[in-house]
Amino acid sequence: AQKVTQAQTEISVVEKEDVTLDCVYETRDTTYYLFWYKQPPSGELVFLIRRNSFDEQNEISGRYSWNFQKSTSSFNFTITASQVVDSAVYFCALIPNTGNQFYFGTGTSLTVIP
Amino acid sequence: GAGVSQTPSNKVTEKGKYVELRCDPISGHTALYWYRQSLGQGPEFLIYFQGTGAADDSGLPNDRFFAVRPEGSVSTLKIQRTERGDSAVYLCASSPTPPGLDPKGYNEQFFGPGTRLTVL
């Protein structure tokens, strides 16, 4: 069975604060891929990052960073120095290598207050 | 290049009516997916096409839902006898390769903007 859990339903932070969005996943597949998507109010899912199950290196892209830990089945996402434009719903998703579909979490709604 | 497009962007219908939702995938993408996103939830898988055939329709909730992709490009999701519970955003995604055969191993799917269906 595949499952993605995003326990944080809503988060509010003040602009310039750092914020971490949690993602915990379950899978019996040995090869799988993890993704983060941003969904702004316009509704379109915007790709942020992908990670395969063999690569546990953390990644930084500008103000975004991701911490992948297989030992805890977590793939957390940190935004440094948050900005109002970061306000959106963020989804973590899992897809097994031979799977046909994404398994999405329920999303975390982030509001950055100016 | 052009991304995945979906029409209409919004559809309001009455309970019991029939609706069709259209998806134009990225040119050359062989795999096409439909998802449904209810308010406050993540997208949920409905059906996956490889070429013209439905390779996996395990996510379709019941036989009122049907999808086609007759020429291996554009796909139409059809909902008969709509119910209020069908109200959601219907997302389409496409991928250049079948699952598991992506040479980069990413299985990435490119999403369209969705069609917001409201059943009154």
Side-chain angles (χ1 to χ4, degrees):
Chain A
Q2 326 284 347
K3 184 179 180 182
V4 175
T5 301
Q6 294 180 255
Q8 303 152 308
T9 305
E10 295 182 0
I11 300 177
S12 291
V13 297
V14 177
E15 198 171 22
K16 297 185 183 178
E17 288 184 345
D18 299 347
V19 59
T20 295
L21 309 182
D22 298 334
C23 173
V24 175
Y25 63 91
E26 297 175 28
T27 180
R28 292 183 179 177
D29 288 70
T30 55
T31 302
Y32 52 89
Y33 304 88
L34 297 166
F35 291 74
W36 275 94
Y37 281 90
K38 175 181 180 180
Q39 189 173 46
S42 61
E44 192 158 353
L45 284 166
V46 178
F47 165 80
L48 295 177
I49 191 172
R50 69 173 73 87
R51 252 311 180 251
N52 73 55
S53 51
F54 297 113
D55 183 1
E56 288 194 68
Q57 273 193 325
N58 291 332
E59 182 160 338
I60 298 174
S61 176
R63 297 184 296 108
Y64 296 168
S65 62
W66 292 269
N67 184 336
F68 175 30
Q69 294 193 348
K70 286 183 73 172
S71 61
T72 56
S73 297
S74 65
F75 186 41
N76 295 338
F77 172 32
T78 297
I79 302 174
T80 303
S82 59
Q83 300 176 1
V84 173
V85 293
D86 296 328
S87 297
V89 180
Y90 291 84
F91 289 97
C92 181
L94 164 77
I95 185 167
N97 185 48
T98 55
N100 297 328
Q101 56 172 289
F102 273 114
Y103 295 86
F104 284 89
T106 51
T108 297
S109 178
L110 174 66
T111 301
V112 180
I113 303 166
Chain B
V4 178
S5 62
Q6 293 186 244
T7 54
S9 56
N10 279 284
K11 176 71 177 178
V12 180
T13 191
E14 294 180 344
K15 179 182 172 182
K17 299 290 187 182
Y18 167 82
V19 297
E20 290 189 353
L21 311 179
R22 176 187 169 107
C23 171
D24 281 84
I26 294 173
S27 178
H29 280 195
T30 61
L32 185 145
Y33 308 79
W34 283 99
Y35 293 82
R36 178 168 71 173
Q37 186 176 17
S38 300
L39 191 63
Q41 300 295 316
E44 294 180 315
F45 171 78
L46 296 176
I47 187 170
Y48 151 62
F49 285 90
Q50 184 52 45
T52 60
D56 182 352
D57 64 358
S58 61
L60 294 178
N62 51 60
D63 61 6
R64 296 186 298 105
F65 288 74
F66 189 71
V68 296
R69 194 186 186 198
E71 297 179 356
S73 178
V74 171
S75 176
T76 305
L77 178 65
K78 307 179 180 189
I79 310 175
Q80 298 177 323
R81 304 182 304 280
T82 51
E83 299 177 356
R84 292 194 179 89
D86 298 335
S87 295
V89 175
Y90 289 81
L91 295 166
C92 178
S94 69
S95 179
T97 58
L101 295 181
D102 185 337
K104 296 181 180 177
Y106 288 155
N107 292 327
E108 184 172 352
Q109 298 176 18
F110 299 82
F111 285 85
T115 293
R116 181 176 297 279
L117 175 66
T118 302
V119 182
L120 301 176

